[in-house]
Amino acid sequence: MTPNGYRYVEFALWVGSVATAIVVVLAIPSLIVGNGLVTLKYALFVVGFLLFGVGSFAIQPTPRGRGPVSRLFSMSLDGGKAFGFEQRIQELPPLDGRNLPFEDRVSRNVKVFVTSLIVLGVSILLEVGLGVTAG
């Protein structure tokens, strides 16, 4: 596989694992304390919407020379160092410990934005696909 291929495999594994973790973490209290799938649907919508907002700001290009006010609205989630779970993703097949350098991976900003779309997609799947409604 090409280095670019490993880059996109790491991207898919990251987005899939984070989206799955969000769904599972929200499902446990929704099913125990809340109103089951209805609560899960709303919780996924709220978290997905918040991630969408953060991801939308993060993927914007960095303003250059526009003054201090425009820099207030720019942000980045890339810190230059990998988190612990990102290192564990490098051990999963088909990466098998190749340990892509952090600079060669897809930006964490893009990953958060795509994760938000998947979380929102699961929320709409619960409503439209499975017919989970409040009434």
Side-chain angles (χ1 to χ4, degrees):
M1 188 180 299
T2 66
N4 220 16
Y6 287 121
R7 179 179 185 198
Y8 292 118
V9 166
E10 189 270 339
F11 169 75
L13 288 172
W14 194 99
V15 169
S17 62
V18 171
T20 301
I22 289 170
V23 170
V24 169
V25 165
L26 292 177
I28 293 169
S30 297
L31 297 173
I32 293 173
V33 180
N35 194 8
L37 292 178
V38 174
T39 305
L40 176 61
K41 176 186 76 164
Y42 289 130
L44 287 172
F45 176 76
V46 169
V47 170
F49 190 74
L50 291 172
L51 284 173
F52 184 82
V54 169
S56 295
F57 276 112
I59 63 174
Q60 297 299 315
T62 306
R64 301 200 191 279
R66 291 191 189 169
V69 174
S70 64
R71 287 190 204 109
L72 286 174
F73 297 105
S74 67
M75 63 179 291
S76 177
L77 302 172
D78 291 327
K81 288 188 354 188
F83 295 137
F85 82 94
E86 291 175 323
Q87 294 293 25
R88 288 189 286 277
I89 287 174
Q90 298 295 317
E91 301 300 322
L92 297 173
L95 296 175
D96 294 325
R98 284 190 171 64
N99 203 10
L100 258 86
F102 189 76
E103 309 79 44
D104 293 343
R105 301 177 192 172
V106 174
S107 169
R108 198 178 291 146
N109 301 330
V110 175
K111 292 175 184 174
V112 169
F113 182 75
V114 172
T115 301
S116 74
L117 297 177
I118 290 177
V119 170
L120 287 170
V122 172
S123 175
I124 198 148
L125 176 71
L126 285 172
E127 183 164 351
V128 175
L130 301 177
V132 176
T133 59

